[in-house]
């Protein structure tokens, strides 16, 4: 970079916070299938929000990063090394959905991205946007942020098919060395969970709760049955809170025993719930929960269940975050049958962009996006997926929905 050139790359400070230049380069992957449709719509909303919020004093330079079918067409690789390097350099990136190539040698590009860049926390905020048709009576009571561990648990890929030599070898080892029986011919999967990975996830969840003024962090586990894995996740979570955040957190038990049932001002309450009970609580008493931290499998199920509860499965934003790189993403797939039709709902990617701006400390841009998107839906201007569930709605194309959000932003000034 020449001396005259303005700095454009985000830097990570020694304490893990971000140093974001006013003119910043952000990596994007437009994605496969409907990805280009939703990217074209979303980027107009992002630029408009930044322009409205900062009047030209801040600006994003979007750096295209190849992945998926477009990368394969142009380079012969599904996920070129240069793309990973761009994401590492930019520190922050945003992506549309990617096809999982069948028989292409890579199991899933999304999983590969998470593993190679060590994006260990999958973050899914779930809240209700007024106007969205929801299946429950009081969807507005849901305002939770799921922190799901992304690298371990039964998703680690350590499993072998029924009848394989590996599964038989493991069964033999278990019988001979551990004196336990596995039914003959079983498939076997392994559920690794480490203190290091569990604690870095919980650390991130507690930091987020403190930064965002959230009330509680709930550790969601199945430790009553899986004592040494899920039970340990719970124990390690409480230990981490006590070791690193003693002055700013308090356990639910302490709230009862030492503070007469009322959490002291400014302290985040650390509590835990067994996963199956958490599914009930999410429906019955959602307003008692705030930030949730959990192992991989629990997080996969619960984040989709919560998103469905607010009617927003197709609108839910998400991010995969590590210590060095964060990638924000639409949580739905490529919906290939609608590719190129300018039809699908770009809200998931747009709201992921709002999360990204919040992560960068550009809260004013994030707030404009969320408020204008909600106002657009409330006005009954929606894409086909919501229109078919809403009486009297005006169905618009993907690009028209983005234009309507941008017009709302102008009206809000
Ligand atoms: P999908 O692409 O999410 O599509 C399933 C259905 O969900 C669509 O047919 C459509 O429903 C609805 N839908 C999805 N996105 C929508 C949007 N933006 N607006 C409105 N409706 C939307 O799931 P899939 O068909 O199982 O997966 C297709 C491909 O995507 C696969 O290759 C899969 O591996 C990949 N995938 C990628 C990601 C990712 O990159 N993060 C995630 C999941 C799947 P209707 O038919 O009812 O209109």
């Amino acid at each position: 970079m020449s001396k005259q050139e303005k700095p454009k790359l985000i830097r990570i400070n020694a304490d893990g916070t971000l140093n974001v230049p006013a003119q910043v380069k952000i990596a994007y992957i437009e994605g496969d299938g409907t990805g280009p449709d939703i990217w074209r719509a979303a980027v107009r909303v992002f630029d408009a929000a930044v322009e409205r919020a900062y009047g030209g004093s801040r600006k994003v330079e979007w750096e295209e990063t190849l992945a998926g079918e477009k990368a394969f067409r142009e380079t012969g690789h599904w996920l070129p090394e240069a793309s990973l390097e761009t994401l590492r350099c930019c520190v922050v990136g945003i992506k549309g959905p990617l096809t999982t190539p069948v028989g292409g040698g890579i199991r899933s590009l999304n999983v590969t991205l998470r593993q190679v860049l060590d994006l260990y926390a999958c973050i899914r905020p779930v809240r209700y946007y007024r106007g969205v048709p929801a299946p429950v009576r009081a969807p507005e009571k849901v305002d939770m942020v799921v922190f799901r561990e992304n690298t371990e648990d039964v998703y680690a890929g350590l499993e072998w098919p029924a009848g394989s030599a590996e599964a038989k070898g493991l069964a033999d080892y278990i019988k001979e060395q551990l004196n336990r029986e596995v039914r003959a011919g079983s498939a076997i999967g392994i559920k690794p969970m480490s203190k290091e990975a569990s604690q870095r996830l919980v650390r991130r969840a507690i930091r987020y709760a403190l930064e965002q003024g959230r009330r509680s962090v709930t550790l969601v586990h199945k430790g009553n049955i899986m004592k040494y894995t899920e039970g340990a996740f719970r124990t390690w979570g409480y230990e981490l809170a006590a070791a690193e955040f003693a002055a700013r957190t308090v356990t639910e038990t302490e709230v009862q025993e030492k503070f007469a049932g009322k959490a002291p001002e400014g302290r985040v309450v650390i509590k835990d719930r067994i996963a199956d009970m958490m599914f009930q609580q999410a429906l019955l008493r959602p307003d008692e929960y705030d930030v949730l931290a959990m192992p991989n499998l629990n997080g996969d199920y619960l984040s989709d269940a919560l998103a469905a509860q607010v009617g927003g499965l197709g609108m839910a934003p998400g991010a995969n975050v590590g210590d060095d790189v964060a990638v924000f993403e639409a949580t739905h797939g490529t919906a290939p049958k609608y590719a190129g039709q300018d039809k699908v709902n770009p809200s998931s990617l747009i709201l992921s962009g709002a999360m990204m701006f919040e992560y960068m400390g550009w809260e004013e841009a994030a707030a404009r996006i969320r408020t204008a998107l909600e106002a657009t839906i409330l006005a009954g201007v929606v894409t086909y997926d919501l229109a078919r569930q809403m009486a009297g709605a005006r169905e618009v194309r993907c690009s028209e929905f983005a234009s309507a959000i941008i017009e709302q932003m102008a009206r809000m000034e």
Side-chain angles (χ1 to χ4, degrees):
M1 193 181 291
S2 76
K3 270 190 179 161
Q4 287 79 20
E5 209 178 317
K6 291 201 181 101
K8 290 189 179 138
L9 293 177
I10 295 175
R11 297 274 169 228
I12 301 173
N13 300 319
D15 64 357
T17 56
L18 299 187
N19 183 344
V20 181
Q23 313 291 315
V24 66
K25 210 178 249 200
I26 293 179
Y28 76 92
I29 296 170
E30 64 177 20
D32 298 326
T34 49
D37 290 336
I38 58 172
W39 171 254
R40 272 192 297 275
V43 73
R44 287 198 293 122
V45 174
F46 301 155
D47 286 339
V50 171
E51 173 62 31
R52 289 261 161 221
Y54 310 114
S57 66
R58 287 182 181 172
K59 199 169 185 321
V60 177
E61 191 178 298
W62 302 101
E63 176 86 4
E64 178 156 21
T65 310
L66 293 178
E69 287 163 359
K70 189 171 181 183
F72 192 71
R73 270 197 314 274
E74 294 187 15
T75 70
H77 299 281
W78 291 98
L79 189 56
E81 185 52 42
S83 299
L84 294 169
E85 202 41 44
T86 304
L87 286 166
R88 286 191 195 101
C89 283
C90 288
V91 177
V92 167
I94 183 159
K95 64 177 274 294
L98 292 170
T99 306
T100 300
V102 180
I106 294 183
R107 211 165 51 139
S108 154
L109 294 176
N110 294 304
V111 173
T112 309
L113 266 176
R114 286 169 208 166
Q115 283 171 351
V116 175
L117 299 174
D118 197 22
L119 308 175
Y120 61 82
C122 175
I123 308 175
R124 299 269 295 267
V126 190
R127 54 154 280 199
Y128 179 63
Y129 284 90
R130 284 175 301 152
V132 174
V136 300
R137 264 182 293 176
E140 67 284 352
K141 286 188 176 172
V142 176
D143 184 4
M144 300 185 214
V145 184
V146 175
F147 280 70
R148 162 188 171 195
E149 204 289 322
N150 234 351
T151 65
E152 299 195 325
D153 200 352
V154 283
Y155 286 35
L158 299 173
E159 57 170 10
W160 292 273
S164 65
E166 291 87 350
K168 183 170 183 316
L170 279 168
D172 290 346
Y173 175 86
I174 290 167
K175 186 171 173 54
E176 286 155 21
Q177 303 295 322
L178 308 176
N179 201 23
R180 304 290 291 269
E181 281 287 340
V182 173
R183 184 172 288 129
S186 294
I188 296 184
I190 293 183
K191 178 182 174 76
M193 284 174 56
S194 69
K195 182 173 181 175
E196 183 200 343
S198 302
Q199 289 196 331
R200 67 182 180 173
L201 187 270
V202 175
R203 181 182 296 116
R204 198 167 263 285
I206 296 177
R207 273 201 195 132
Y208 175 90
L210 288 168
E211 282 162 15
Q212 299 291 324
R214 295 282 186 153
R215 291 165 300 153
S216 65
V217 173
T218 306
L219 308 167
V220 182
H221 60 89
K222 195 68 189 155
N224 54 331
I225 306 295
M226 292 171 272
K227 296 182 194 305
Y228 304 127
T229 49
E230 303 255 336
F233 178 88
R234 170 185 178 277
T235 307
W236 292 327
Y238 278 117
E239 283 175 2
L240 183 279
E244 296 184 14
F245 301 98
R248 304 200 59 196
T249 59
V250 61
T251 65
E252 192 175 37
T253 313
E254 286 169 338
V255 170
Q256 294 309 326
E257 291 176 356
K258 293 192 194 159
F259 299 99
K262 192 170 180 326
E265 197 62 31
R267 295 231 215 154
V268 168
V269 178
I270 310 295
K271 49 189 176 181
D272 76 280
R273 295 290 181 271
I274 290 173
D276 40 342
M277 220 273 276
M278 189 62 226
F279 277 87
Q280 295 177 29
Q281 295 277 298
L283 282 166
L284 299 173
R285 287 158 37 187
D287 43 352
E288 291 179 18
Y289 297 90
D290 205 326
V291 174
L292 309 173
M294 63 197 81
N296 211 334
L297 179 66
N298 300 340
D300 194 5
Y301 293 164
L302 196 57
S303 50
D304 268 20
L306 287 171
Q309 196 167 323
V310 295
L313 203 52
M315 294 180 45
N320 292 295
V321 177
D323 291 333
D324 306 320
V325 185
V327 180
F328 296 78
E329 67 170 4
T331 54
H332 55 73
T334 59
K337 66 183 175 184
Y338 298 123
Q341 294 182 25
D342 190 21
K343 184 178 172 79
V344 296
N345 188 345
S347 296
S348 176
L349 191 60
I350 291 174
L351 291 171
S352 299
M355 259 181 101
M356 178 185 75
F357 286 129
E358 194 173 75
Y359 183 78
M360 290 161 52
W362 292 17
E363 279 91 1
E364 300 80 2
R368 276 170 174 76
I369 294 172
R370 293 197 183 105
T371 312
L373 184 139
E374 185 166 53
T376 305
I377 296 174
L378 257 183
V381 179
V382 290
T383 45
Y384 83 98
D385 51 318
L386 296 183
R388 66 188 171 189
Q389 304 174 63
M390 289 164 64
R394 179 157 74 87
E395 183 180 325
V396 293
R397 297 183 166 281
C398 175
S399 58
E400 291 167 338
F401 182 67
S403 301
I405 295 173
I406 294 167
E407 282 159 26
Q408 278 292 349
M409 271 184 217
R411 255 177 252 138
M412 280 159 25
E413 291 301 309

